[in-house]
Amino acid sequence: MTTNSTDNAECLTDHTDVICTTSIERIVTGRNASLVQIEALIHQLNDISTLTRSIGGKIALDWAMKQDFRCGCWLMEKPATAMKVITRNLDRSIWRDLMKRSGMLSIMDAQAREQWYNSLEKDDIPAISEENILSTFEQLHHNKDDVFERGVINVFKKLSWDFKTNSPCKFGKKIIVTGLVKCDRWGFGLNWGLQRDRLADLERMLMLLAGKPVPDNRADVTLRLGDHIHDNRHSNSYEDEMFKIKYFQKGTAHITFRRPELVDKLNDIIARHYPGALPTKH
């Protein structure tokens, strides 16, 4: 039976706390009013600098900055140059906040989140406006299942087929990953890197499929596993609601799924993307 990947994740189906008329109007109005005042402030600082320079007091960059930590400030640049950069910086921060509050980040894998954040670093990011906010989040909401399923497929495709346990056509009862941990004379430690990101992605997917709140990056499985390893340097196992994890000195980790019904849902997604890869269920 095919199961919609986000049927049980109601946080994905309702963005009214972000995408509503009053909220958008307040954001756009506040953004536009702030930019008008910022531009007026730049002109005012420029006028003051002209006055202080005329009496030998130099300009604002000289008398308004801490002398030991003098650095550039866009408020003291030419308005045409400064406003372009300030507007982009302000809009970038607003987009990040909107995305965080929308719940969309919770369904993205590490690769999708990185692509989103990288897109905000470009010079041509969309201006904050009612039309752009609505169109962006309507599109994201429309594609939420595809985004989630793409994350599942990305994690699946990154599994190493060097281990018999890792099936090339489905998630099994457990998976084996390399490089998740390290071991030295002090005991085990958790590595930073792609395997850590994939474990966090896997937990996020399982929690969404179970209809449970997704832990943020301050409390996800990688943080809990890292704390466990730090406090138990000579232990080689960890267990929580979703996983049993056993790790070895050579750096490999055996991750056993504790919720087989959720694994079935992951495999339903794989079957939709790779028809014929899984045997027919009876």
Side-chain angles (χ1 to χ4, degrees):
M1 178 180 66
T2 299
T3 303
N4 188 298
S5 60
T6 52
D7 277 350
N8 296 320
E10 293 191 4
C11 64
L12 308 182
T13 63
D14 186 3
H15 298 290
T16 53
D17 56 338
V18 174
I19 308 304
C20 64
T21 303
T22 54
S23 179
I24 292 176
E25 183 179 358
R26 181 179 62 82
I27 291 169
V28 174
T29 300
R31 177 256 194 193
N32 293 341
S34 296
L35 291 174
V36 169
Q37 293 182 53
I38 289 169
E39 185 168 9
L41 178 59
I42 291 174
H43 284 290
Q44 188 174 10
L45 280 170
N46 186 55
D47 291 342
I48 294 171
S49 288
T50 300
L51 175 59
T52 55
R53 182 174 56 199
S54 72
I55 60 175
K58 299 185 178 180
I59 63 174
L61 278 172
D62 298 296
W63 47 257
M65 309 294 284
K66 290 185 177 180
Q67 296 305 305
D68 294 337
F69 302 96
R70 178 170 170 171
C71 58
C73 176
W74 288 110
L75 292 174
M76 298 172 189
E77 299 291 340
K78 293 181 178 179
T81 302
M83 288 307 299
K84 182 178 179 180
V85 178
I86 289 172
T87 299
R88 187 167 64 244
N89 289 342
L90 182 61
D91 286 354
R92 182 182 294 120
S93 295
I94 294 173
W95 279 122
R96 285 174 177 159
D97 183 65
L98 284 170
M99 193 65 165
K100 182 178 179 180
R101 288 195 284 141
S102 73
M104 290 300 300
L105 287 175
S106 67
I107 68 171
M108 292 181 172
D109 66 332
Q111 180 181 341
R113 291 195 304 276
E114 183 179 8
Q115 288 173 348
W116 165 259
Y117 286 123
N118 286 343
S119 71
L120 292 180
E121 297 303 319
K122 297 179 180 179
D123 291 340
D124 59 347
I125 62 173
I128 290 294
S129 67
E130 181 175 351
E131 180 182 1
N132 285 341
I133 292 173
L134 283 173
S135 63
T136 296
F137 283 96
E138 283 174 357
Q139 184 67 27
L140 286 170
H141 182 73
H142 177 73
N143 293 334
K144 67 183 186 300
D145 286 341
D146 291 337
V147 171
F148 178 81
E149 294 193 1
R150 186 167 62 244
V152 173
I153 297 301
N154 282 343
V155 171
F156 174 73
K157 287 167 62 177
K158 295 298 190 300
L159 292 177
S160 170
W161 307 129
D162 293 337
F163 302 100
K164 292 181 180 179
T165 302
N166 295 346
S167 168
C169 61
K170 67 176 182 177
F171 284 102
K173 294 181 180 179
K174 72 176 181 180
I175 58 175
I176 299 176
V177 299
T178 58
L180 182 64
V181 298
K182 58 186 176 182
C183 188
D184 53 32
R185 60 180 177 172
W186 294 284
F188 284 102
L190 185 64
N191 280 328
W192 289 92
L194 293 177
Q195 295 292 21
R196 185 173 179 146
D197 289 341
R198 288 170 194 151
L199 179 58
D201 286 339
L202 200 52
E203 179 191 42
R204 185 182 302 108
M205 295 163 188
L206 293 173
M207 296 296 279
L208 287 168
L209 290 171
K212 294 179 176 291
V214 176
D216 65 22
N217 57 8
R218 295 165 295 181
D220 66 24
V221 62
T222 64
L223 268 295
R224 301 194 306 273
L225 175 60
D227 289 344
H228 171 81
I229 291 175
H230 181 268
D231 295 337
N232 305 273
R233 296 301 294 266
H234 297 287
S235 170
N236 73 334
S237 62
Y238 166 85
E239 186 172 340
D240 63 19
E241 179 183 5
M242 293 295 177
F243 307 108
K244 292 181 181 178
I245 303 176
K246 189 172 184 179
Y247 37 93
F248 301 87
Q249 291 184 359
K250 60 183 179 180
T252 58
H254 293 204
I255 303 173
T256 301
F257 297 105
R258 299 193 64 198
R259 298 282 301 274
E261 76 281 7
L262 300 181
V263 177
D264 287 342
K265 292 183 177 183
L266 291 177
N267 285 331
D268 285 338
I269 293 170
I270 295 169
R272 286 201 295 277
H273 286 261
Y274 298 100
L278 298 180
T280 304
K281 293 183 180 180
H282 299 285

